[in-house]
Amino acid sequence: MARGVRRLPEPAKSGNPFVHRIDYTIWMYVKLFAGVLLLLPIRLLLTPVFMLALYVCVRLSSSGWKPGQHMQPWQKYIVTTIAPPIVRLWVFCAFGFYHVPVKGRRASAAEAPITVVAPHSCIMETWMVMLFTYGMVISRVENQNFLYVSSCIKACEPIWVGGSVRGGSTVEEMTKRITSPGRWLPIVIFPEGTTHNADALLSFKTGAFQPGYPVQPVIFRFGKPQVGVWGNHGNTVPKIVLLLMCQWHNTFEVEYLPVYRPSEEERQDARLYSRNVRAVMTKAADLPCMDYSREELSLMEKVHGAGLPLDAALIEYDLINRLFGVRLPALQVVLERFIQMNTSKSGVVSSNEFMMHLAWPIREHALLLFKEYDTCSDGREELRYREYVVGTLDLATKVPNAAQVVSDAFEALSDGQDQLSTTGILDAMHRRGFSDVSTDSVERFLYKMSQSSDLSVSGFASYVESNPDLNILLVWYLRGTATDV
């Protein structure tokens, strides 16, 4: 049997980082109701005033600004001296952030030209950045479509990413600005690249670390109850804003950590640099590390649309990508197969579902393959998407000439004919010692194959390509036993 499927360490038991729900007590509901009656009307009246004042500031500061240009001194004065008090009054009066404790010391741009902030969990972090870590931001080009937000972002001399902007050009632009002291604001980056529920630190993207310059880690902490946390699932922006306005008091804390100066090895390896900085921040924040990333959100949308639990899509994308070099499109294809298998919509595939999906006539081989994939040690014989991904990617490397395997298998199964048939497959399998194979099982396999391709050699190759689990089963069939691949 093809023993040796790679076993990955289980992720930290911190739940789904992209889902955030608050368990309200009766007392919390009482305070919320009082806030709706007494606080919300006043704060709703005050918010437009501060929004307008801030909008005037950022419009003035970004007037005439074009991507790649730096602000004039008077424009920087507006955004660094006039705008912050407006923001502070806004979050004080309209959102109840009466006091924001600050720990540590903010480094100068000369000491650390890049500031990395985590965890990234709250829409209020936009204003906290303006107050405590003001600098250039890295923002997706899609944000230019939102009038108010884009105006605030443009006041931060942003570097736009996404769309037609290449990752390499982003790093070049960052390096260019860092090496032009005194002309640009320091760079502020949320290296996780997505929002989550702040129960852990997710994978850090390498963009902030590729230039190889020192960084200052900064930790943002939201107090309880975390009504301002945006976990992508469970909260919406209007709901978060209203909940914040209805709280009598909201707490937020900023902690500046010492500047992290990379070693020569870290300067040459941005991934290593990012992991080491995350380890420092994890220890300071007292949070676990999870190798989840924003790519998991695309997978979650797919499983949600198929009616599976959201947690089924969590695979620690960054870890999988690092080990196997596989990207999101390939993982989406694997997920589609997993969804097709999981007819119970439970988020885990049973051995029976697995064998029914493959419909391979030699059932004991299909069951052995299922057990190869099922590397979880809980003994429940349930296959999760994460295990299925690792199993298929790991065993795929052990079939170096899949095309030859398919050709040899077709020749053996067709009994020299140009089409597969029930009689031909049955006779071929019986001759190889698989006497338990029945006519019904062969007919089920051919029927499933005929739904997506014909029974010729090219159709068989196409079917195996779309169901790569069959590659291992074909190798076992040709050898007559489930031996090492």
Side-chain angles (χ1 to χ4, degrees):
M1 186 163 48
R3 290 296 175 193
V5 170
R6 188 178 305 194
R7 291 176 179 266
L8 301 186
E10 289 294 310
K13 301 296 183 182
S14 296
N16 189 331
F18 302 111
V19 175
H20 179 66
R21 295 184 179 90
I22 300 173
D23 295 325
Y24 284 94
T25 63
I26 294 177
W27 176 237
M28 290 170 66
Y29 276 117
V30 170
K31 291 194 294 182
L32 185 62
F33 181 71
V36 170
L37 294 178
L38 302 176
L39 297 176
L40 186 59
I42 299 173
R43 289 175 172 176
L44 284 176
L45 288 174
L46 289 173
T47 291
V49 176
F50 292 116
M51 287 184 69
L52 179 61
L54 181 61
Y55 183 72
V56 171
C57 283
V58 297
R59 287 293 292 178
L60 284 173
S61 64
S62 61
S63 61
W65 180 86
K66 294 180 181 179
Q69 292 183 344
H70 60 87
M71 291 182 177
Q72 300 300 317
W74 66 270
Q75 293 174 311
K76 284 189 178 182
Y77 179 81
I78 291 176
V79 294
T80 59
T81 306
I82 299 177
I86 296 174
V87 174
R88 186 67 189 95
L89 281 172
W90 186 5
V91 299
F92 180 95
C93 298
F95 293 102
F97 290 94
Y98 304 129
H99 174 60
V100 179
V102 177
K103 297 180 179 179
R105 179 187 69 86
R106 184 181 181 185
S108 67
E111 294 175 281
I114 299 175
T115 301
V116 291
V117 184
H120 189 13
S121 63
C122 171
I123 58 172
M124 293 304 299
E125 289 164 347
T126 304
W127 313 129
M128 297 306 175
V129 163
M130 293 189 74
L131 288 173
F132 300 106
T133 60
Y134 195 81
M136 290 182 290
V137 296
I138 311 295
S139 182
R140 298 192 64 81
V141 292
E142 292 87 346
N143 290 331
Q144 297 184 61
N145 299 326
F146 304 100
L147 178 62
Y148 190 85
V149 173
S150 66
S151 297
C152 293
I153 292 173
K154 288 176 181 177
C156 300
E157 298 181 325
I159 298 174
W160 300 108
V161 298
S164 60
V165 181
R166 295 182 297 106
S169 64
T170 302
V171 175
E172 291 170 6
E173 181 64 21
M174 288 172 58
T175 304
K176 168 190 167 185
R177 297 189 183 193
I178 291 171
T179 54
S180 303
R183 303 186 65 184
W184 300 99
L185 296 169
I187 300 173
V188 179
I189 298 178
F190 289 91
E192 293 167 302
T194 186
T195 56
H196 57 94
N197 62 16
D199 287 342
L201 290 191
L202 306 190
S203 294
F204 281 9
K205 301 301 181 184
T206 59
F209 309 95
Q210 288 183 32
Y213 288 90
V215 302
Q216 180 172 35
V218 178
I219 295 173
F220 281 176
R221 294 187 182 93
F222 233 115
K224 304 289 185 181
Q226 294 180 314
V227 295
V229 168
W230 187 10
N232 287 286
H233 286 270
N235 268 347
T236 61
V237 173
K239 178 182 175 182
I240 291 171
V241 171
L242 288 175
L243 284 173
L244 285 170
M245 287 185 170
C246 294
Q247 300 299 310
W248 290 85
H249 174 57
N250 287 304
T251 58
F252 195 91
E253 182 180 287
V254 178
E255 181 177 1
Y256 298 109
L257 300 183
V259 173
Y260 190 103
R261 293 177 173 82
S263 65
E264 183 59 35
E265 183 182 8
E266 288 171 327
R267 280 195 289 269
Q268 299 301 320
D269 186 348
R271 193 185 291 270
L272 174 65
Y273 188 8
S274 69
R275 290 204 303 270
N276 290 345
V277 171
R278 184 178 70 157
V280 170
M281 298 182 73
T282 295
K283 183 178 180 180
D286 193 23
L287 292 172
C289 287
M290 303 179 84
D291 281 325
Y292 299 137
S293 64
R294 67 168 178 263
E295 283 79 6
E296 254 113 345
L297 291 171
S298 299
L299 300 175
M300 284 175 62
E301 292 300 327
K302 190 175 286 290
V303 301
H304 182 64
L308 274 64
L310 292 173
D311 291 3
L314 297 177
I315 60 171
E316 293 193 301
Y317 172 86
D318 190 63
L319 177 62
I320 300 295
N321 173 259
R322 190 166 68 246
L323 292 176
F324 298 102
V326 66
R327 305 301 291 262
L328 181 61
L331 292 173
Q332 289 174 325
V333 172
V334 178
L335 180 58
E336 288 172 1
R337 293 203 305 273
F338 184 86
I339 291 171
Q340 291 170 9
M341 291 182 195
N342 193 202
T343 54
S344 65
K345 306 296 183 183
S346 63
V348 291
V349 171
S350 67
S351 57
N352 187 58
E353 286 177 322
F354 183 79
M355 290 188 291
M356 288 293 290
H357 175 76
L358 292 180
W360 184 240
I362 310 174
R363 288 179 61 82
E364 61 266 31
H365 281 188
L367 180 58
L368 288 172
L369 181 60
F370 173 85
K371 291 180 178 179
E372 274 296 308
Y373 289 161
D374 182 18
T375 57
C376 188
S377 58
D378 58 13
R380 290 186 296 181
E381 289 197 356
E382 293 176 334
L383 183 62
R384 297 174 300 174
Y385 171 55
R386 184 176 187 262
E387 297 163 349
Y388 182 57
V389 166
V390 174
T392 54
L393 294 175
D394 197 32
L395 290 185
T397 63
K398 300 179 181 180
V399 186
N401 196 346
Q404 187 62 49
V405 169
V406 171
S407 176
D408 292 345
F410 181 84
E411 184 177 348
L413 292 170
S414 65
D415 203 18
Q417 303 300 312
D418 59 358
Q419 294 274 330
L420 293 175
S421 66
T422 302
T423 303
I425 293 177
L426 196 64
D427 290 345
M429 289 190 168
H430 285 174
R431 283 197 302 271
R432 287 182 179 264
F434 300 108
S435 56
D436 292 338
V437 174
S438 66
T439 302
D440 288 344
S441 64
V442 174
E443 288 178 344
R444 280 196 299 270
F445 175 73
L446 291 178
Y447 173 74
K448 188 171 180 63
M449 177 180 165
S450 66
Q451 290 181 309
S452 58
S453 57
D454 58 48
L455 304 182
S456 66
V457 63
S458 60
F460 183 64
S462 175
Y463 182 66
V464 173
E465 183 179 5
S466 60
N467 295 274
D469 304 306
L470 289 172
N471 279 310
I472 298 295
L473 298 176
L474 293 178
V475 170
W476 290 351
Y477 164 71
L478 291 172
R479 294 181 180 178
T481 182
T483 57
D484 292 337
V485 177

PDB file of all heavy atoms in Angstrom, residues 308 312 333-343 347-349 383-386 388:
ATOM      1  N   LEU A 308     -22.021  23.539   2.568  1.00  0.00           N
ATOM      2  CA  LEU A 308     -21.150  22.889   3.542  1.00  0.00           C
ATOM      3  C   LEU A 308     -20.788  23.880   4.645  1.00  0.00           C
ATOM      4  O   LEU A 308     -20.858  25.099   4.443  1.00  0.00           O
ATOM      5  CB  LEU A 308     -19.868  22.381   2.879  1.00  0.00           C
ATOM      6  CG  LEU A 308     -19.887  20.997   2.224  1.00  0.00           C
ATOM      7  CD1 LEU A 308     -20.869  20.978   1.053  1.00  0.00           C
ATOM      8  CD2 LEU A 308     -18.487  20.593   1.763  1.00  0.00           C
ATOM      9  N   ALA A 312     -15.106  23.846   6.766  1.00  0.00           N
ATOM     10  CA  ALA A 312     -14.596  22.811   5.862  1.00  0.00           C
ATOM     11  C   ALA A 312     -13.514  23.343   4.932  1.00  0.00           C
ATOM     12  O   ALA A 312     -12.676  22.584   4.444  1.00  0.00           O
ATOM     13  CB  ALA A 312     -15.750  22.223   5.036  1.00  0.00           C
ATOM     14  N   VAL A 333     -10.075  23.599  -7.641  1.00  0.00           N
ATOM     15  CA  VAL A 333     -10.441  22.402  -8.406  1.00  0.00           C
ATOM     16  C   VAL A 333     -10.564  21.201  -7.466  1.00  0.00           C
ATOM     17  O   VAL A 333     -11.517  20.415  -7.555  1.00  0.00           O
ATOM     18  CB  VAL A 333      -9.405  22.126  -9.509  1.00  0.00           C
ATOM     19  CG1 VAL A 333      -9.674  20.774 -10.174  1.00  0.00           C
ATOM     20  CG2 VAL A 333      -9.427  23.237 -10.561  1.00  0.00           C
ATOM     21  N   VAL A 334      -9.601  21.053  -6.554  1.00  0.00           N
ATOM     22  CA  VAL A 334      -9.659  19.959  -5.585  1.00  0.00           C
ATOM     23  C   VAL A 334     -10.893  20.099  -4.700  1.00  0.00           C
ATOM     24  O   VAL A 334     -11.557  19.109  -4.369  1.00  0.00           O
ATOM     25  CB  VAL A 334      -8.382  19.921  -4.727  1.00  0.00           C
ATOM     26  CG1 VAL A 334      -8.456  18.809  -3.678  1.00  0.00           C
ATOM     27  CG2 VAL A 334      -7.154  19.730  -5.603  1.00  0.00           C
ATOM     28  N   LEU A 335     -11.220  21.335  -4.331  1.00  0.00           N
ATOM     29  CA  LEU A 335     -12.396  21.567  -3.496  1.00  0.00           C
ATOM     30  C   LEU A 335     -13.679  21.166  -4.217  1.00  0.00           C
ATOM     31  O   LEU A 335     -14.606  20.623  -3.599  1.00  0.00           O
ATOM     32  CB  LEU A 335     -12.453  23.039  -3.080  1.00  0.00           C
ATOM     33  CG  LEU A 335     -13.643  23.434  -2.197  1.00  0.00           C
ATOM     34  CD1 LEU A 335     -13.672  22.608  -0.914  1.00  0.00           C
ATOM     35  CD2 LEU A 335     -13.594  24.927  -1.867  1.00  0.00           C
ATOM     36  N   GLU A 336     -13.747  21.432  -5.508  1.00  0.00           N
ATOM     37  CA  GLU A 336     -14.933  21.038  -6.269  1.00  0.00           C
ATOM     38  C   GLU A 336     -15.133  19.524  -6.222  1.00  0.00           C
ATOM     39  O   GLU A 336     -16.260  19.036  -6.086  1.00  0.00           O
ATOM     40  CB  GLU A 336     -14.817  21.527  -7.711  1.00  0.00           C
ATOM     41  CG  GLU A 336     -14.975  23.032  -7.860  1.00  0.00           C
ATOM     42  CD  GLU A 336     -14.660  23.512  -9.254  1.00  0.00           C
ATOM     43  OE1 GLU A 336     -14.332  22.668 -10.116  1.00  0.00           O
ATOM     44  OE2 GLU A 336     -14.710  24.742  -9.482  1.00  0.00           O
ATOM     45  N   ARG A 337     -14.036  18.768  -6.324  1.00  0.00           N
ATOM     46  CA  ARG A 337     -14.146  17.312  -6.217  1.00  0.00           C
ATOM     47  C   ARG A 337     -14.606  16.909  -4.818  1.00  0.00           C
ATOM     48  O   ARG A 337     -15.429  15.999  -4.655  1.00  0.00           O
ATOM     49  CB  ARG A 337     -12.798  16.639  -6.534  1.00  0.00           C
ATOM     50  CG  ARG A 337     -12.350  16.772  -7.965  1.00  0.00           C
ATOM     51  CD  ARG A 337     -11.368  15.657  -8.341  1.00  0.00           C
ATOM     52  NE  ARG A 337     -10.219  15.559  -7.464  1.00  0.00           N
ATOM     53  CZ  ARG A 337      -9.098  16.249  -7.631  1.00  0.00           C
ATOM     54  NH1 ARG A 337      -8.979  17.107  -8.634  1.00  0.00           N
ATOM     55  NH2 ARG A 337      -8.080  16.088  -6.798  1.00  0.00           N
ATOM     56  N   PHE A 338     -14.066  17.574  -3.810  1.00  0.00           N
ATOM     57  CA  PHE A 338     -14.440  17.259  -2.434  1.00  0.00           C
ATOM     58  C   PHE A 338     -15.931  17.519  -2.209  1.00  0.00           C
ATOM     59  O   PHE A 338     -16.620  16.725  -1.564  1.00  0.00           O
ATOM     60  CB  PHE A 338     -13.598  18.094  -1.474  1.00  0.00           C
ATOM     61  CG  PHE A 338     -13.833  17.794  -0.022  1.00  0.00           C
ATOM     62  CD1 PHE A 338     -13.140  16.771   0.602  1.00  0.00           C
ATOM     63  CD2 PHE A 338     -14.741  18.532   0.714  1.00  0.00           C
ATOM     64  CE1 PHE A 338     -13.351  16.480   1.947  1.00  0.00           C
ATOM     65  CE2 PHE A 338     -14.960  18.256   2.055  1.00  0.00           C
ATOM     66  CZ  PHE A 338     -14.271  17.232   2.675  1.00  0.00           C
ATOM     67  N   ILE A 339     -16.419  18.634  -2.747  1.00  0.00           N
ATOM     68  CA  ILE A 339     -17.842  18.973  -2.598  1.00  0.00           C
ATOM     69  C   ILE A 339     -18.715  17.924  -3.277  1.00  0.00           C
ATOM     70  O   ILE A 339     -19.765  17.526  -2.756  1.00  0.00           O
ATOM     71  CB  ILE A 339     -18.106  20.379  -3.168  1.00  0.00           C
ATOM     72  CG1 ILE A 339     -17.458  21.453  -2.282  1.00  0.00           C
ATOM     73  CG2 ILE A 339     -19.605  20.642  -3.303  1.00  0.00           C
ATOM     74  CD1 ILE A 339     -17.485  22.850  -2.867  1.00  0.00           C
ATOM     75  N   GLN A 340     -18.292  17.464  -4.454  1.00  0.00           N
ATOM     76  CA  GLN A 340     -19.041  16.422  -5.146  1.00  0.00           C
ATOM     77  C   GLN A 340     -19.089  15.135  -4.330  1.00  0.00           C
ATOM     78  O   GLN A 340     -20.102  14.436  -4.309  1.00  0.00           O
ATOM     79  CB  GLN A 340     -18.418  16.150  -6.515  1.00  0.00           C
ATOM     80  CG  GLN A 340     -18.574  17.282  -7.518  1.00  0.00           C
ATOM     81  CD  GLN A 340     -17.747  17.075  -8.769  1.00  0.00           C
ATOM     82  OE1 GLN A 340     -17.165  16.005  -8.971  1.00  0.00           O
ATOM     83  NE2 GLN A 340     -17.681  18.086  -9.611  1.00  0.00           N
ATOM     84  N   MET A 341     -17.997  14.806  -3.664  1.00  0.00           N
ATOM     85  CA  MET A 341     -17.979  13.606  -2.820  1.00  0.00           C
ATOM     86  C   MET A 341     -18.918  13.737  -1.626  1.00  0.00           C
ATOM     87  O   MET A 341     -19.605  12.781  -1.254  1.00  0.00           O
ATOM     88  CB  MET A 341     -16.560  13.369  -2.273  1.00  0.00           C
ATOM     89  CG  MET A 341     -15.526  12.953  -3.271  1.00  0.00           C
ATOM     90  SD  MET A 341     -13.966  12.684  -2.375  1.00  0.00           S
ATOM     91  CE  MET A 341     -12.816  12.669  -3.738  1.00  0.00           C
ATOM     92  N   ASN A 342     -18.911  14.928  -1.015  1.00  0.00           N
ATOM     93  CA  ASN A 342     -19.593  15.112   0.258  1.00  0.00           C
ATOM     94  C   ASN A 342     -21.097  15.313   0.065  1.00  0.00           C
ATOM     95  O   ASN A 342     -21.637  16.386   0.283  1.00  0.00           O
ATOM     96  CB  ASN A 342     -18.973  16.300   0.994  1.00  0.00           C
ATOM     97  CG  ASN A 342     -19.391  16.397   2.446  1.00  0.00           C
ATOM     98  OD1 ASN A 342     -19.324  17.458   3.048  1.00  0.00           O
ATOM     99  ND2 ASN A 342     -19.818  15.305   3.048  1.00  0.00           N
ATOM    100  N   THR A 343     -21.765  14.261  -0.335  1.00  0.00           N
ATOM    101  CA  THR A 343     -23.209  14.344  -0.603  1.00  0.00           C
ATOM    102  C   THR A 343     -24.012  14.622   0.660  1.00  0.00           C
ATOM    103  O   THR A 343     -25.130  15.130   0.590  1.00  0.00           O
ATOM    104  CB  THR A 343     -23.708  13.039  -1.241  1.00  0.00           C
ATOM    105  OG1 THR A 343     -23.321  11.928  -0.405  1.00  0.00           O
ATOM    106  CG2 THR A 343     -23.082  12.851  -2.620  1.00  0.00           C
ATOM    107  N   GLY A 347     -19.324  18.446   5.584  1.00  0.00           N
ATOM    108  CA  GLY A 347     -17.995  19.039   5.645  1.00  0.00           C
ATOM    109  C   GLY A 347     -16.892  18.015   5.806  1.00  0.00           C
ATOM    110  O   GLY A 347     -15.713  18.357   5.724  1.00  0.00           O
ATOM    111  N   VAL A 348     -17.250  16.759   6.042  1.00  0.00           N
ATOM    112  CA  VAL A 348     -16.283  15.652   6.088  1.00  0.00           C
ATOM    113  C   VAL A 348     -16.830  14.521   5.225  1.00  0.00           C
ATOM    114  O   VAL A 348     -18.031  14.268   5.201  1.00  0.00           O
ATOM    115  CB  VAL A 348     -16.017  15.157   7.527  1.00  0.00           C
ATOM    116  CG1 VAL A 348     -15.253  16.192   8.330  1.00  0.00           C
ATOM    117  CG2 VAL A 348     -17.309  14.786   8.229  1.00  0.00           C
ATOM    118  N   VAL A 349     -15.937  13.843   4.504  1.00  0.00           N
ATOM    119  CA  VAL A 349     -16.329  12.778   3.591  1.00  0.00           C
ATOM    120  C   VAL A 349     -16.145  11.425   4.280  1.00  0.00           C
ATOM    121  O   VAL A 349     -15.074  11.134   4.814  1.00  0.00           O
ATOM    122  CB  VAL A 349     -15.487  12.834   2.294  1.00  0.00           C
ATOM    123  CG1 VAL A 349     -15.724  11.607   1.424  1.00  0.00           C
ATOM    124  CG2 VAL A 349     -15.821  14.108   1.516  1.00  0.00           C
ATOM    125  N   LEU A 383     -12.877  12.060   6.246  1.00  0.00           N
ATOM    126  CA  LEU A 383     -11.848  12.762   5.471  1.00  0.00           C
ATOM    127  C   LEU A 383     -12.206  14.236   5.365  1.00  0.00           C
ATOM    128  O   LEU A 383     -13.251  14.601   4.826  1.00  0.00           O
ATOM    129  CB  LEU A 383     -11.745  12.137   4.078  1.00  0.00           C
ATOM    130  CG  LEU A 383     -10.659  12.686   3.143  1.00  0.00           C
ATOM    131  CD1 LEU A 383      -9.281  12.443   3.735  1.00  0.00           C
ATOM    132  CD2 LEU A 383     -10.784  12.032   1.768  1.00  0.00           C
ATOM    133  N   ARG A 384     -11.319  15.085   5.878  1.00  0.00           N
ATOM    134  CA  ARG A 384     -11.519  16.524   5.765  1.00  0.00           C
ATOM    135  C   ARG A 384     -10.861  17.038   4.486  1.00  0.00           C
ATOM    136  O   ARG A 384      -9.967  16.404   3.937  1.00  0.00           O
ATOM    137  CB  ARG A 384     -10.929  17.237   6.986  1.00  0.00           C
ATOM    138  CG  ARG A 384     -11.583  16.875   8.307  1.00  0.00           C
ATOM    139  CD  ARG A 384     -10.861  17.495   9.476  1.00  0.00           C
ATOM    140  NE  ARG A 384      -9.478  17.043   9.552  1.00  0.00           N
ATOM    141  CZ  ARG A 384      -8.589  17.511  10.407  1.00  0.00           C
ATOM    142  NH1 ARG A 384      -8.922  18.464  11.255  1.00  0.00           N
ATOM    143  NH2 ARG A 384      -7.344  17.052  10.405  1.00  0.00           N
ATOM    144  N   TYR A 385     -11.297  18.206   4.064  1.00  0.00           N
ATOM    145  CA  TYR A 385     -10.750  18.799   2.851  1.00  0.00           C
ATOM    146  C   TYR A 385      -9.244  18.995   2.966  1.00  0.00           C
ATOM    147  O   TYR A 385      -8.493  18.741   2.022  1.00  0.00           O
ATOM    148  CB  TYR A 385     -11.465  20.116   2.562  1.00  0.00           C
ATOM    149  CG  TYR A 385     -10.865  20.941   1.448  1.00  0.00           C
ATOM    150  CD1 TYR A 385     -10.669  20.389   0.177  1.00  0.00           C
ATOM    151  CD2 TYR A 385     -10.489  22.261   1.653  1.00  0.00           C
ATOM    152  CE1 TYR A 385     -10.115  21.141  -0.850  1.00  0.00           C
ATOM    153  CE2 TYR A 385      -9.942  23.021   0.634  1.00  0.00           C
ATOM    154  CZ  TYR A 385      -9.751  22.456  -0.610  1.00  0.00           C
ATOM    155  OH  TYR A 385      -9.194  23.205  -1.617  1.00  0.00           O
ATOM    156  N   ARG A 386      -8.773  19.441   4.114  1.00  0.00           N
ATOM    157  CA  ARG A 386      -7.343  19.675   4.318  1.00  0.00           C
ATOM    158  C   ARG A 386      -6.547  18.389   4.103  1.00  0.00           C
ATOM    159  O   ARG A 386      -5.510  18.384   3.429  1.00  0.00           O
ATOM    160  CB  ARG A 386      -7.113  20.220   5.726  1.00  0.00           C
ATOM    161  CG  ARG A 386      -5.668  20.601   6.059  1.00  0.00           C
ATOM    162  CD  ARG A 386      -5.655  21.221   7.455  1.00  0.00           C
ATOM    163  NE  ARG A 386      -4.351  21.765   7.801  1.00  0.00           N
ATOM    164  CZ  ARG A 386      -3.443  21.132   8.537  1.00  0.00           C
ATOM    165  NH1 ARG A 386      -3.688  19.905   8.954  1.00  0.00           N
ATOM    166  NH2 ARG A 386      -2.305  21.721   8.842  1.00  0.00           N
ATOM    167  N   TYR A 388      -7.542  15.785   2.414  1.00  0.00           N
ATOM    168  CA  TYR A 388      -7.689  15.371   1.020  1.00  0.00           C
ATOM    169  C   TYR A 388      -6.720  16.125   0.118  1.00  0.00           C
ATOM    170  O   TYR A 388      -6.096  15.551  -0.779  1.00  0.00           O
ATOM    171  CB  TYR A 388      -9.136  15.596   0.563  1.00  0.00           C
ATOM    172  CG  TYR A 388      -9.409  15.160  -0.849  1.00  0.00           C
ATOM    173  CD1 TYR A 388      -9.160  13.852  -1.263  1.00  0.00           C
ATOM    174  CD2 TYR A 388      -9.932  16.053  -1.785  1.00  0.00           C
ATOM    175  CE1 TYR A 388      -9.414  13.442  -2.560  1.00  0.00           C
ATOM    176  CE2 TYR A 388     -10.188  15.655  -3.082  1.00  0.00           C
ATOM    177  CZ  TYR A 388      -9.931  14.358  -3.466  1.00  0.00           C
ATOM    178  OH  TYR A 388     -10.179  13.956  -4.759  1.00  0.00           O
TER     179      TYR A 388
END
